[in-house]
Amino acid sequence: MNLDAIPIRRLAHAADLPLPAYESAGAAGMDLRAAIDAPLILAPWRRAMVPTGIAIALPPGHEAQVRPRSGLAARHGVTVLNSPGTVDADYRGEVSVILVNLSAEPFEIRRGDRIAQMVVAPVSRCAWREVEALEETARGGGGFGSTGVGRP
């Protein structure tokens, strides 16, 4: 399947909304819009599953990553809760976005608002080979923040 022609189905409740699109020539993600009938107030520290009104058929070996929009995060503290959310190649249901309001102010989502972005990307699949010990590296078992310890 050609990535230039991924099948997309606009659901009835999104008939008047634009399909996801790149908003600039260099954009990596396509904007997803809220396919809601009435405004939704996202209270501080609350989350909501927001429908987009689309279903897609990705080719095998690909995923769609649902990511936050930087402007919503920077200006309003609204982000994608499970960022990035993954739409698997075999999923055929409606793409929805789990938004969370991390600010102290309520945030209003209106029909057609751009709420997230979607990046289509290849994925790798692996098989595990169980071993008794792993190859040593300079980092070793150093965990979170360990690569910056002792450096200016």
Side-chain angles (χ1 to χ4, degrees):
M1 180 180 299
N2 184 336
L3 288 183
D4 292 333
I6 295 175
I8 186 167
R9 184 171 158 241
R10 190 185 331 235
L11 304 175
H13 61 281
D16 61 324
L17 298 177
L19 292 176
Y22 298 104
E23 297 294 326
S24 72
M30 294 174 267
D31 284 341
L32 296 173
R33 296 179 181 268
I36 54 179
D37 292 328
L40 170 66
I41 304 299
L42 191 54
W45 298 104
R46 302 302 295 181
R47 65 186 178 272
M49 182 87 75
V50 183
T52 65
I54 62 163
I56 57 178
L58 295 167
H62 288 80
E63 69 167 329
Q65 299 171 4
V66 178
R67 300 179 181 183
R69 294 193 70 240
S70 59
L72 286 182
R75 288 191 296 276
H76 304 288
V78 174
T79 190
V80 176
L81 187 58
N82 62 324
S83 181
T86 295
V87 179
D88 294 311
D90 59 351
Y91 177 67
R92 295 296 183 267
E94 181 173 14
V95 174
S96 293
V97 179
I98 305 169
L99 290 180
V100 63
N101 181 355
L102 300 178
S103 78
E105 301 297 325
F107 180 75
E108 182 179 26
I109 303 166
R110 296 174 308 276
R111 180 173 183 77
D113 280 354
R114 295 181 297 163
I115 56 169
Q117 57 183 322
M118 181 172 65
V119 174
V120 176
V123 294
S124 298
R125 293 184 59 100
C126 70
W128 297 109
R129 179 177 49 87
E130 190 171 2
V131 297
E132 293 296 320
L134 299 175
E135 175 185 322
E136 290 295 323
T137 66
R139 180 177 179 180
F144 294 100
S146 65
T147 59
V149 175
R151 295 185 189 174

